[in-house]
């Protein structure tokens, strides 16, 4: 799978969020980072379309400006998708990574914003529907600058998994992904560090097996709840 | 009341819809037509803000591009409203005049678009709420190029009333508006034409009085229905 990240931030170099996310994809081989801000003047529609054609998952990544996509990303849409017959995106996945400057909870009914992020971003859902793309669950980054180290670590993992894992994401796939990443680290380590990492990996594998057993027990119980709540 | 129309079409001269609307405001003294496309390069935030400050009703007028505002209008938002303390829009009215290239009925659930115009344009509603502006009912132009002469005449009147009449619009206010416009025509006419126009105006005034009587009778009956439907 090739994932293309369309970075719609007008000045990504000055954005702590975008720099953090950029660092997070450095080691991901199947992921291409494409900053729209690096294109000077008008977009060359054909070049942009070719990038899209090569990808199976397209991620639009941007800060919410005035409850909408930034001007730069809208310009990309308006300039690149003029003759819609020249591009076929059918069957590709569309991911949306949006970071907000107001607390996510303000986007609920009665919050200071009072409009949901899913509603505000529905033009992108309509766009995905137009091109018969499969829309992935919205990935929201809640005020990166207020996150502590642990929250940032969790964000890093969730973001990498959002880019790399097949959808819909299962718990088993997340565990396997984590073990894979750990194995890469083990292979690069040596001596005492390697022994420690191997021990962690062994414990994680055992827990994963136990969790899988537990889930098998829980599955028939949860089946009904998932439809109606409880 | 001063109405400011912010025209967000990137090439209004080439748009039959925008040219039609532009002709419709020629004789309206309290209405200012402001084409964003006429601003070369970046917007001068201060000039744009001054225009807004002078108006009591601001109308954002644009074609729907990719289920959203055009890039030009988003750029205006992003560039002009950077330091939000420099502009006070509280209490002003915000109107939205949007023209669509797909049939309006396609925007309902299950239509080919499948997302409502009110939902797709909710970023503007959130923006209005942010500035404590009073959002007017959405004014939608359904594929102008398919409209026949009668539909275009109706559009002309509805559009002029949307710009000029106090909100919420009442039937009585619409009638009075129409009589005023007719009176202007009478004053400019002479001879036989003037006699004919005076006769039409007289008949219209009589019908208006009859309708007002009828409405007084209907009002108590309709009162309940308006809340729950019937």
């Amino acid at each position: 799978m090739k994932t293309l990240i369309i970075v719609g931030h007008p000045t990504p170099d000055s954005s702590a969020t975008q720099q953090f996310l950029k660092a997070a994809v450095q080691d991901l081989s199947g992921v291409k980072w494409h900053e729209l801000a690096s294109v000077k003047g008008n977009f060359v529609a054909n070049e942009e379309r070719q990038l899209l054609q090569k990808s199976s998952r397209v991620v639009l990544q941007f800060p919410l400006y005035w409850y909408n996509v930034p001007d730069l990303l809208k310009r990309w849409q308006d300039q690149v998708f003029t003759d819609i017959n020249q591009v076929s995106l059918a069957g590709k996945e569309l991911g949306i990574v949006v970071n907000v400057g107001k607390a996510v909870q303000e986007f609920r009914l009665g919050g200071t914003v009072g409009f949901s992020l899913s509603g505000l971003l529905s033009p992108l859902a309509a766009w995905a529907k137009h091109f018969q793309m499969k829309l992935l669950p919205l990935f929201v980054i809640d005020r990166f600058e207020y996150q502590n180290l642990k929250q940032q670590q969790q964000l890093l993992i969730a973001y990498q998994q959002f880019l790399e894992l097949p959808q819909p994401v299962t718990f088993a796939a997340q565990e396997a992904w984590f073990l894979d990443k750990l194995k890469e680290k083990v292979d690069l380590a040596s001596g005492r560090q390697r022994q420690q990492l191997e021990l962690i990996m062994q414990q994680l594998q055992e827990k994963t097996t136990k969790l899988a057993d537990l889930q098998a027990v829980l599955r028939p119980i949860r089946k009904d709840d998932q439809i109606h709540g409880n």
Side-chain angles (χ1 to χ4, degrees), chain A residues 19 26 39 66 98 121 132 134 157 178 189 201 216-217 220 227:
Chain A
Q19 289 308 303
Q26 286 303 309
V39 178
W66 291 122
V98 62
L121 296 173
Q132 297 176 287
K134 186 179 172 299
I157 290 165
F178 210 83
M201 196 160 81
V217 175
I227 298 171

Side-chain angles (χ1 to χ4, degrees), chain A residues 179 182-183 186 197-205:
Chain A
L179 281 166
L182 200 56
K183 195 167 177 310
V186 171
L197 283 171
E198 277 173 344
L199 197 64
I200 292 171
M201 196 160 81
Q202 197 187 327
Q203 287 177 338
L204 193 64
Q205 271 168 328

Side-chain angles (χ1 to χ4, degrees), chain A residues 8-169:
Chain A
H9 195 295
T11 54
D13 290 345
S14 70
S15 159
T17 313
Q18 297 304 323
Q19 289 308 303
F20 177 85
L21 300 177
K22 190 175 186 176
V25 306
Q26 286 303 309
D27 298 332
L28 308 185
S29 58
V31 176
K32 183 169 172 59
W33 180 269
H34 177 48
E35 293 182 355
L36 298 186
S38 70
V39 178
K40 300 300 167 204
N42 290 335
F43 291 104
V44 182
N46 217 29
E47 287 177 11
E48 299 298 320
R49 288 183 200 132
Q50 275 174 20
L51 272 176
L52 292 166
Q53 302 286 19
K54 283 186 212 155
S55 318
S56 55
R57 179 175 291 177
V58 177
V59 174
L60 303 179
Q61 181 174 300
F62 55 89
L64 197 72
Y65 282 2
W66 291 122
Y67 315 105
N68 204 337
V69 297
D71 153 45
L72 180 64
L73 187 57
K74 189 70 214 316
R75 185 148 58 89
W76 178 80
Q77 282 188 300
D78 288 1
Q79 288 185 355
V80 176
F81 302 93
T82 46
D83 183 349
I84 57 169
N85 296 321
Q86 290 182 312
V87 63
S88 168
L89 304 175
K92 294 184 193 294
E93 292 175 315
L94 182 73
I96 298 171
V97 175
V98 62
N99 60 302
V100 291
K102 284 184 182 169
V104 162
Q105 63 186 10
E106 298 299 348
F107 290 83
R108 63 185 157 173
L109 277 180
T112 57
V113 176
F115 293 84
S116 72
L117 277 167
S118 291
L120 293 170
L121 296 173
S122 61
L124 294 179
W127 189 74
K129 185 170 182 279
H130 180 99
F131 286 108
Q132 297 176 287
M133 297 178 85
K134 186 179 172 299
L135 187 62
L136 305 183
L138 189 59
F139 190 96
V140 180
I141 301 173
D142 190 355
R143 297 168 304 160
F144 177 75
E145 62 271 31
Y146 289 106
Q147 294 190 7
N148 60 32
L149 193 63
K150 193 180 172 186
Q151 288 170 320
Q152 289 185 356
Q153 283 169 341
Q154 287 168 338
L155 169 63
L156 178 81
I157 290 165
Y159 178 63
Q160 288 184 333
Q161 290 186 342
F162 184 76
L163 299 175
E164 290 198 317
L165 282 183
Q167 289 274 353
V169 171

